[in-house]
């Protein structure tokens, strides 16, 4: 698994040296999976993610000017950013994640200097594996390290998240950036998104493992729906608070409270999903600790039902994958992962009959949608780091 990263690092380093004739600093930040707990992070709830062996590598060196020259190796696209004119959104989507980080560093008082950067990644883009967070985290770690600015990890996470809010227009929670920075090899992270308290749980389930199925439906059209869900949850909280002042976010609410107040039906369903999902994540953590794969898998199926039925962020391709997995004995669990409207499912599959199970899903997906299913095997890895 380290090989993936090494190869990417080599490619980015070579390209930087060719382009800018300097020895760069190299950083790598991973994407992430999430076993269970989606749309809970911005509701101050619980999640169970892990950083994965696919990520973004960025090479950087100072250039002695007041300009940053940013080069996307995958898109063969260059963006120059002047440090003298204030930071504004670019019409190049990819550049905004880095400009957002520059803006964040600037506002917290970092003395910025011009630099050159080249980056590339091996995370499928828009698949819900959080290539955007990996890009932000590589940028914040790379730039701060280059400038000798000692940021703690929590600051990096917040700057990266803010870049996504302000420059990509997605009001995401903290899970993606937290996972990319804090990942640990072989472990999932049980994270409380309110306190940021977290615990590393070994990601080894007896006789079973994970596999991702990619619908290759890009979720990006779901950005506005994502922000809308967030607003619906906020509406739910403001109604609940009138009767239960102790409810600051949905993590403080339970289903009984929800039943006693009146709110629009849609808002009710959104809140119910979040409340139930939080309970599932807590249980899932204990099952993972005890290596109870089947029990964990059952919660994953339930999570999908909630995301599809109550929260309404699934799509026909994701629903199909989960429905088919449910029919096969190899699949302990399956659910859509990430914001929704496309991207991947995450599946807990038994070692016995694994390949056969995957083939069955692959062929049924192909038949139904006339497209090839993406199948990814991922490992849990350490979070963002300087490459030495
Ligand atoms: P996800 O985070 O689920 O992969 P997003 O839509 O949130 O999807 O982020 C994807 C965006 O991040 C891309 O459209 C692009 O702007 C940027 N990005 C991610 N990886 C790369 C890359 N390797 N090269 C250039 N831009 C990238
Ligand atoms: Mg993203």
């Amino acid at each position: 698994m380290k090989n993936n990263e090494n190869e990417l690092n080599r490619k980015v380093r070579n390209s930087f040296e060719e382009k800018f004739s300097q020895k760069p600093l190299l950083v790598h930040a991973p994407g992430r999976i999430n076993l269970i707990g989606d749309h809970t992070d911005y509701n101050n709830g619980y999640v169970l993610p892990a950083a994965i062996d696919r990520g973004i590598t960025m090479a950087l060196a100072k250039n002695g000017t007041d300009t940053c020259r940013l080069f996307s190796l995958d898109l063969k696209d260059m963006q120059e950013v002047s440090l003298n004119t204030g930071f504004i959104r670019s019409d190049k989507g990819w550049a905004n994640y880095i400009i957002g980080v520059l803006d964040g560093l600037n506002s917290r008082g970092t003395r910025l200097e011009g630099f050159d950067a080249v980056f590339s990644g091996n995370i499928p883009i828009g698949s819900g594996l959080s290539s955007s967070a990996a890009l932000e985290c590589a940028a914040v770690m790379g730039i701060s390290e280059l400038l000798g600015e000692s940021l703690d990890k929590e600051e990096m996470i917040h700057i990266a998240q803010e870049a996504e809010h302000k420059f990509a227009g997605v009001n995401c929670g903290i899970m993606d950036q937290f996972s990319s920075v804090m990942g640990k090899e072989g472990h999932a992270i049980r994270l409380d998104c309110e306190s940021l308290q977290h615990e590393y749980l070994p990601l080894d389930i007896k006789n079973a493992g994970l596999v991702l199925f990619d619908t290759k439906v890009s979720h990006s059209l779901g950005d506005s729906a994502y922000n809308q869900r967030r607003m619906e949850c906020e509406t739910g909280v403001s109604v609940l608070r009138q009767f239960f002042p102790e409810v600051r976010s949905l993590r403080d609410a339970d289903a009984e409270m929800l039943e006693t107040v009146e709110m629009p039906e849609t808002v009710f369903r959104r809140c119910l999903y979040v409340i139930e999902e939080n309970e599932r994540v807590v249980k899932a953590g204990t099952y993972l600790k005890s290596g109870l794969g089947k029990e964990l898998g059952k919660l994953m199926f339930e999570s999908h039902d909630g995301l599809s039925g109550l929260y309404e962020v699934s799509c026909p391709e994701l629903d199909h994958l989960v429905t088919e997995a449910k029919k096969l004995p190899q699949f302990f669990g399956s659910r859509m992962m990430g914001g929704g409207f496309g991207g991947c499912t995450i599946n807990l599959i038994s070692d016995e009959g694994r390949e056969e199970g995957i083939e069955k899903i692959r062929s049924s997906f192909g038949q139904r949608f006339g497209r090839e299913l993406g199948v990814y095997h991922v490992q849990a890895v350490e979070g963002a780091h300087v490459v030495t």
Side-chain angles (χ1 to χ4, degrees):
M1 78 190 159
K2 198 71 181 153
N3 285 344
N4 279 348
E5 191 199 312
N6 288 344
E7 198 184 306
L8 180 65
N9 293 346
R10 202 171 311 121
K11 182 175 90 174
V12 173
R13 185 196 301 278
N14 289 344
S15 156
F16 185 95
E17 289 178 358
E18 228 168 72
K19 210 168 172 58
F20 296 114
S21 313
Q22 270 207 79
K23 291 250 172 273
L25 163 79
L26 227 60
V27 291
H28 177 85
R32 62 106 191 87
I33 53 172
N34 185 25
L35 280 177
I36 193 163
D38 271 309
H39 293 274
T40 45
D41 62 350
Y42 57 78
N43 286 301
N44 285 350
Y46 304 96
V47 292
L48 198 52
I52 55 168
D53 54 342
R54 287 170 179 259
I56 300 252
T57 294
M58 188 175 283
L60 314 91
K62 291 185 192 176
N63 62 18
T65 73
D66 289 335
T67 299
C68 304
R69 292 185 289 187
L70 313 173
F71 185 67
S72 159
L73 189 54
D74 301 325
L75 302 175
K76 305 268 173 292
D77 198 14
M78 177 79 128
Q79 166 88 53
E80 297 206 352
V81 180
S82 164
L83 296 177
N84 302 321
T85 52
F87 299 107
I88 48 163
R89 275 169 84 147
S90 160
D91 53 6
K92 297 181 199 294
W94 63 268
N96 282 321
Y97 298 99
I98 308 174
I99 300 173
V101 164
L102 284 169
D103 184 57
L105 286 166
N106 187 52
S107 345
R108 73 171 280 298
T110 300
R111 257 187 55 103
L112 295 171
E113 296 172 54
F115 62 87
D116 299 326
V118 172
F119 73 97
S120 169
N122 53 15
I123 311 171
I125 291 176
S127 286
L129 301 180
S130 222
S131 65
S132 59
L135 179 50
E136 293 148 8
C137 293
V140 70
M141 180 166 279
I143 298 167
S144 58
E145 181 76 23
L146 184 72
L147 300 179
E149 180 86 3
S150 51
L151 292 186
D152 64 38
K153 287 188 170 176
E154 209 170 293
E155 281 178 293
M156 288 189 203
I157 292 164
H158 285 296
I159 290 171
Q161 183 194 21
E162 231 177 82
E164 181 117 6
H165 288 184
K166 290 192 185 158
F167 283 75
V170 178
N171 289 321
C172 61
I174 196 99
M175 170 172 68
D176 299 353
Q177 292 78 11
F178 192 95
S179 316
S180 182
V181 171
M182 301 297 290
K184 177 170 169 179
E185 187 172 340
H187 289 73
I189 312 168
R190 182 160 70 176
L191 171 65
D192 175 338
C193 296
E194 185 175 61
S195 63
L196 297 189
Q197 272 180 1
H198 56 282
E199 184 184 359
Y200 292 105
L201 306 179
L203 193 50
D204 59 23
I205 297 153
K206 221 171 159 204
N207 305 324
L210 297 172
V211 63
L212 306 179
F213 295 142
D214 189 354
T215 62
K216 304 203 181 144
V217 176
S218 171
H219 65 61
S220 61
L221 293 175
D223 285 357
S224 62
Y226 185 101
N227 291 342
Q228 189 198 352
R229 293 298 178 282
R230 190 169 176 150
M231 270 159 29
E232 287 164 348
C233 292
E234 280 163 17
T235 305
V237 170
S238 67
V239 175
L240 281 163
R241 277 184 86 125
Q242 292 168 20
F243 301 87
F244 305 100
E246 71 273 24
V247 173
R248 292 152 303 149
S249 66
L250 287 177
R251 75 91 75 27
D252 303 319
D254 59 35
E256 208 174 303
M257 291 174 174
L258 206 56
E259 295 288 351
T260 61
V261 302
E262 278 207 27
M263 56 174 70
E265 209 261 333
T266 311
V267 175
F268 174 85
R269 282 188 289 124
R270 307 297 189 240
C271 294
L272 182 60
Y273 161 74
V274 173
I275 288 168
E276 291 180 345
E277 182 79 347
N278 273 328
E279 288 166 5
R280 281 190 286 267
V281 182
V282 173
K283 273 195 216 155
T286 63
Y287 292 158
L288 182 59
K289 261 184 165 172
S290 331
L292 297 172
K294 290 209 167 127
E295 288 76 359
L296 175 59
K298 187 159 171 281
L299 292 174
M300 292 167 76
F301 281 131
E302 287 171 17
S303 166
H304 184 81
D305 289 345
L307 285 160
S308 183
L310 294 173
Y311 217 65
E312 296 179 284
V313 291
S314 187
C315 66
E317 289 85 350
L318 290 166
D319 285 342
H320 175 84
L321 289 171
V322 174
T323 305
E324 292 305 302
K326 226 179 230 171
K327 293 179 191 164
L328 297 169
Q330 292 95 329
F331 289 86
F332 294 172
S334 175
R335 56 182 287 275
M336 56 151 278
M337 185 180 71
F341 304 103
C344 293
T345 61
I346 179 167
N347 302 272
L348 185 58
I349 183 171
S350 67
D351 293 340
E352 197 186 323
R354 178 183 169 104
E355 285 317 308
E356 186 198 338
I358 292 172
E359 277 323 305
K360 284 198 168 144
I361 298 286
R362 200 201 294 272
S363 107
S364 112
F365 185 85
Q367 260 172 20
R368 166 83 192 267
F369 297 104
R371 277 182 287 124
E372 205 188 326
L373 181 71
V375 177
Y376 312 136
H377 306 277
V378 290
Q379 308 277 339
V381 299
E382 71 162 313
H385 53 273
V386 172
V387 177
T388 46

